[in-house]
mmCIF file of all heavy atoms in Angstrom:
data_model
loop_
_atom_site.group_PDB
_atom_site.id
_atom_site.type_symbol
_atom_site.label_atom_id
_atom_site.label_comp_id
_atom_site.label_asym_id
_atom_site.label_seq_id
_atom_site.Cartn_x
_atom_site.Cartn_y
_atom_site.Cartn_z
ATOM 1 N N MET H 1 0.848 -1.210 0.000
ATOM 2 C CA MET H 1 0.000 0.000 0.000
ATOM 3 C C MET H 1 0.873 1.246 0.000
ATOM 4 O O MET H 1 1.849 1.333 0.736
ATOM 5 C CB MET H 1 -0.909 0.021 1.232
ATOM 6 C CG MET H 1 -1.763 1.273 1.358
ATOM 7 S SD MET H 1 -2.867 1.190 2.808
ATOM 8 C CE MET H 1 -3.649 2.797 2.660
ATOM 9 N N ARG H 16 -8.313 15.721 -4.735
ATOM 10 C CA ARG H 16 -9.100 16.646 -3.903
ATOM 11 C C ARG H 16 -10.120 17.403 -4.745
ATOM 12 O O ARG H 16 -11.296 17.505 -4.377
ATOM 13 C CB ARG H 16 -8.167 17.632 -3.200
ATOM 14 C CG ARG H 16 -8.884 18.612 -2.300
ATOM 15 C CD ARG H 16 -7.948 19.668 -1.787
ATOM 16 N NE ARG H 16 -8.637 20.587 -0.883
ATOM 17 C CZ ARG H 16 -8.156 21.762 -0.524
ATOM 18 N NH1 ARG H 16 -6.987 22.179 -0.980
ATOM 19 N NH2 ARG H 16 -8.832 22.546 0.294
ATOM 20 N N SER H 48 -22.939 15.421 1.209
ATOM 21 C CA SER H 48 -21.609 15.114 1.732
ATOM 22 C C SER H 48 -21.107 13.793 1.168
ATOM 23 O O SER H 48 -21.894 12.915 0.806
ATOM 24 C CB SER H 48 -21.643 15.015 3.264
ATOM 25 O OG SER H 48 -22.286 16.121 3.858
ATOM 26 N N PHE H 72 -22.551 13.758 11.861
ATOM 27 C CA PHE H 72 -23.077 13.069 13.036
ATOM 28 C C PHE H 72 -24.089 12.016 12.625
ATOM 29 O O PHE H 72 -24.087 10.884 13.127
ATOM 30 C CB PHE H 72 -23.716 14.109 13.958
ATOM 31 C CG PHE H 72 -24.099 13.609 15.326
ATOM 32 C CD1 PHE H 72 -23.246 13.771 16.403
ATOM 33 C CD2 PHE H 72 -25.316 12.992 15.548
ATOM 34 C CE1 PHE H 72 -23.600 13.320 17.671
ATOM 35 C CE2 PHE H 72 -25.688 12.538 16.793
ATOM 36 C CZ PHE H 72 -24.821 12.704 17.869
ATOM 37 N N LEU H 94 -32.968 8.282 7.471
ATOM 38 C CA LEU H 94 -32.815 8.567 8.898
ATOM 39 C C LEU H 94 -33.382 9.947 9.209
ATOM 40 O O LEU H 94 -32.963 10.937 8.599
ATOM 41 C CB LEU H 94 -31.333 8.516 9.271
ATOM 42 C CG LEU H 94 -30.925 8.978 10.672
ATOM 43 C CD1 LEU H 94 -31.502 8.057 11.731
ATOM 44 C CD2 LEU H 94 -29.400 9.032 10.790
ATOM 45 N N VAL H 107 -34.588 15.349 6.297
ATOM 46 C CA VAL H 107 -34.376 13.905 6.200
ATOM 47 C C VAL H 107 -33.010 13.609 5.579
ATOM 48 O O VAL H 107 -32.667 14.116 4.513
ATOM 49 C CB VAL H 107 -35.489 13.260 5.355
ATOM 50 C CG1 VAL H 107 -35.258 11.756 5.239
ATOM 51 C CG2 VAL H 107 -36.852 13.535 5.989
ATOM 52 N N ALA H 111 -25.884 6.271 1.610
ATOM 53 C CA ALA H 111 -25.687 5.011 0.894
ATOM 54 C C ALA H 111 -24.228 4.592 0.997
ATOM 55 O O ALA H 111 -23.325 5.427 0.850
ATOM 56 C CB ALA H 111 -26.073 5.165 -0.573
ATOM 57 N N ILE H 120 -15.806 1.386 0.091
ATOM 58 C CA ILE H 120 -14.829 2.460 -0.098
ATOM 59 C C ILE H 120 -15.324 3.806 0.417
ATOM 60 O O ILE H 120 -14.557 4.766 0.466
ATOM 61 C CB ILE H 120 -14.428 2.602 -1.578
ATOM 62 C CG1 ILE H 120 -15.651 2.929 -2.449
ATOM 63 C CG2 ILE H 120 -13.722 1.343 -2.062
ATOM 64 C CD1 ILE H 120 -15.288 3.271 -3.893
ATOM 65 N N GLY H 150 -44.261 13.785 13.470
ATOM 66 C CA GLY H 150 -44.255 13.020 12.237
ATOM 67 C C GLY H 150 -43.657 11.641 12.389
ATOM 68 O O GLY H 150 -43.108 11.269 13.426
ATOM 69 N N LYS H 160 -32.931 -1.677 -1.021
ATOM 70 C CA LYS H 160 -32.150 -2.848 -0.636
ATOM 71 C C LYS H 160 -31.585 -3.501 -1.893
ATOM 72 O O LYS H 160 -32.339 -3.897 -2.786
ATOM 73 C CB LYS H 160 -33.017 -3.856 0.117
ATOM 74 C CG LYS H 160 -33.564 -3.340 1.449
ATOM 75 C CD LYS H 160 -34.465 -4.380 2.122
ATOM 76 C CE LYS H 160 -34.993 -3.859 3.445
ATOM 77 N NZ LYS H 160 -35.916 -4.833 4.097
ATOM 78 N N PRO H 179 -48.039 13.287 -0.829
ATOM 79 C CA PRO H 179 -47.170 12.129 -1.063
ATOM 80 C C PRO H 179 -46.373 12.176 -2.352
ATOM 81 O O PRO H 179 -45.211 11.760 -2.374
ATOM 82 C CB PRO H 179 -48.154 10.954 -1.062
ATOM 83 C CG PRO H 179 -49.497 11.550 -1.356
ATOM 84 C CD PRO H 179 -49.464 12.915 -0.749
ATOM 85 N N ASP H 180 -46.956 12.648 -3.432
ATOM 86 C CA ASP H 180 -46.246 12.634 -4.701
ATOM 87 C C ASP H 180 -44.987 13.505 -4.643
ATOM 88 O O ASP H 180 -43.926 13.133 -5.168
ATOM 89 C CB ASP H 180 -47.157 13.109 -5.834
ATOM 90 C CG ASP H 180 -48.272 12.118 -6.128
ATOM 91 O OD1 ASP H 180 -48.167 10.963 -5.667
ATOM 92 O OD2 ASP H 180 -49.254 12.500 -6.798
ATOM 93 N N LEU H 200 -17.115 8.456 -6.896
ATOM 94 C CA LEU H 200 -16.154 7.906 -5.945
ATOM 95 C C LEU H 200 -15.594 6.583 -6.446
ATOM 96 O O LEU H 200 -14.386 6.310 -6.337
ATOM 97 C CB LEU H 200 -16.828 7.726 -4.581
ATOM 98 C CG LEU H 200 -15.916 7.354 -3.408
ATOM 99 C CD1 LEU H 200 -14.813 8.381 -3.218
ATOM 100 C CD2 LEU H 200 -16.739 7.210 -2.128
ATOM 101 N N SER H 275 -26.526 27.435 29.194
ATOM 102 C CA SER H 275 -27.820 27.591 28.525
ATOM 103 C C SER H 275 -28.926 26.948 29.354
ATOM 104 O O SER H 275 -28.678 26.168 30.279
ATOM 105 C CB SER H 275 -27.774 26.955 27.133
ATOM 106 O OG SER H 275 -26.843 27.599 26.307
ATOM 107 N N THR H 290 -25.803 20.960 17.340
ATOM 108 C CA THR H 290 -24.949 21.828 18.145
ATOM 109 C C THR H 290 -23.502 21.722 17.682
ATOM 110 O O THR H 290 -22.798 22.740 17.561
ATOM 111 C CB THR H 290 -25.061 21.444 19.627
ATOM 112 O OG1 THR H 290 -26.434 21.551 20.030
ATOM 113 C CG2 THR H 290 -24.211 22.345 20.495
ATOM 114 N N GLU H 291 -23.053 20.505 17.403
ATOM 115 C CA GLU H 291 -21.704 20.338 16.866
ATOM 116 C C GLU H 291 -21.552 21.066 15.535
ATOM 117 O O GLU H 291 -20.501 21.669 15.263
ATOM 118 C CB GLU H 291 -21.389 18.853 16.692
ATOM 119 C CG GLU H 291 -21.201 18.099 18.001
ATOM 120 C CD GLU H 291 -20.764 16.668 17.793
ATOM 121 O OE1 GLU H 291 -20.653 16.235 16.617
ATOM 122 O OE2 GLU H 291 -20.545 15.965 18.797
ATOM 123 N N ASP H 345 -24.758 33.446 16.333
ATOM 124 C CA ASP H 345 -24.518 34.841 16.697
ATOM 125 C C ASP H 345 -23.979 34.964 18.116
ATOM 126 O O ASP H 345 -23.139 35.827 18.398
ATOM 127 C CB ASP H 345 -25.815 35.646 16.551
ATOM 128 C CG ASP H 345 -26.114 36.034 15.115
ATOM 129 O OD1 ASP H 345 -25.299 36.742 14.512
ATOM 130 O OD2 ASP H 345 -27.163 35.620 14.594
ATOM 131 N N SER H 362 -23.853 41.860 15.339
ATOM 132 C CA SER H 362 -24.841 40.796 15.144
ATOM 133 C C SER H 362 -25.582 40.943 13.822
ATOM 134 O O SER H 362 -25.738 42.041 13.284
ATOM 135 C CB SER H 362 -25.848 40.778 16.292
ATOM 136 O OG SER H 362 -26.751 41.848 16.175
ATOM 137 N N ILE H 465 -42.541 31.562 10.974
ATOM 138 C CA ILE H 465 -41.608 30.951 11.915
ATOM 139 C C ILE H 465 -40.531 31.985 12.204
ATOM 140 O O ILE H 465 -39.430 31.953 11.648
ATOM 141 C CB ILE H 465 -41.000 29.665 11.343
ATOM 142 C CG1 ILE H 465 -42.065 28.838 10.617
ATOM 143 C CG2 ILE H 465 -40.355 28.833 12.433
ATOM 144 C CD1 ILE H 465 -41.508 27.729 9.768
ATOM 145 N N ASP H 545 -19.056 54.503 16.854
ATOM 146 C CA ASP H 545 -19.947 55.604 17.218
ATOM 147 C C ASP H 545 -20.629 56.164 15.965
ATOM 148 O O ASP H 545 -19.954 56.558 15.015
ATOM 149 C CB ASP H 545 -19.135 56.705 17.900
ATOM 150 C CG ASP H 545 -19.989 57.820 18.479
ATOM 151 O OD1 ASP H 545 -21.147 57.986 18.052
ATOM 152 O OD2 ASP H 545 -19.493 58.536 19.365
#
Side-chain angles (χ1 to χ4, degrees):
M1 177 178 178
R16 181 188 182 196
S48 310
F72 190 95
L94 172 65
V107 179
I120 60 172
K160 296 178 180 178
D180 291 345
L200 189 57
S275 297
T290 302
E291 289 185 357
D345 280 299
S362 75
I465 319 167
D545 187 339

